[in-house]
């Protein structure tokens, strides 16, 4: 699943990617969990500032595609807020 969001002067692109596995020893491999892959680009250019993947570390992938998308979007908002606060503090010096 793919979503595109606008937040402040940035574009956030969030994709959910499936982690496949074999539940309970069955033969077929099906999506068991999902990770969020996000790209953040500045409104001024289409160059990607950051590309990150969430949900793979510490064996904590997301249970649904919707959860992966929303958590990825929330993480991107936090990153952008940190970047904008950091640049505002730098301009005060």
């Amino acid at each position: 699943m793919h979503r595109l969001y606008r937040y402040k002067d940035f574009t956030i692109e969030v994709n959910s990617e499936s982690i496949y596995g074999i539940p309970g020893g069955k033969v077929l491999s099906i999506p068991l969990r999902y990770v969020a892959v996000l790209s953040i680009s500045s409104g001024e250019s289409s160059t990607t500032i950051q590309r990150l993947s969430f949900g793979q570390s510490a064996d904590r992938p997301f249970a649904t595609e919707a959860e992966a998308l929303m958590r990825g979007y929330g993480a991107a908002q936090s990153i952008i807020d940190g970047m904008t606060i950091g640049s505002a503090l730098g301009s005060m010096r």
Side-chain angles (χ1 to χ4, degrees):
M1 196 178 290
H2 174 264
R3 292 287 186 267
L4 198 62
Y5 302 99
R6 295 280 306 149
Y7 183 69
K8 297 188 178 181
D9 289 333
F10 296 87
T11 300
I12 301 169
E13 182 178 353
V14 185
N15 293 295
S16 64
E17 293 183 358
S18 304
I19 298 175
Y20 287 88
I22 302 172
K26 295 183 180 177
V27 177
L28 298 176
S29 178
I30 60 170
L32 296 177
R33 300 286 183 182
Y34 301 88
V35 295
V37 178
L38 56 103
S39 298
I40 301 171
S41 16
S42 171
E44 300 166 358
S45 71
S46 60
T47 305
T48 299
I49 296 171
Q50 290 202 14
R51 181 170 169 76
L52 304 165
S53 182
F54 288 92
Q56 288 179 314
S57 63
D59 295 325
R60 293 182 159 195
F62 304 112
T64 65
E65 286 182 293
E67 181 184 12
L69 292 173
M70 293 311 299
R71 297 277 181 117
Y73 177 54
Q77 287 177 316
S78 296
I79 291 167
I80 291 168
D81 289 342
M83 290 179 356
T84 55
I85 289 171
S87 65
L89 290 175
S91 66
M92 291 178 162
R93 294 180 183 167

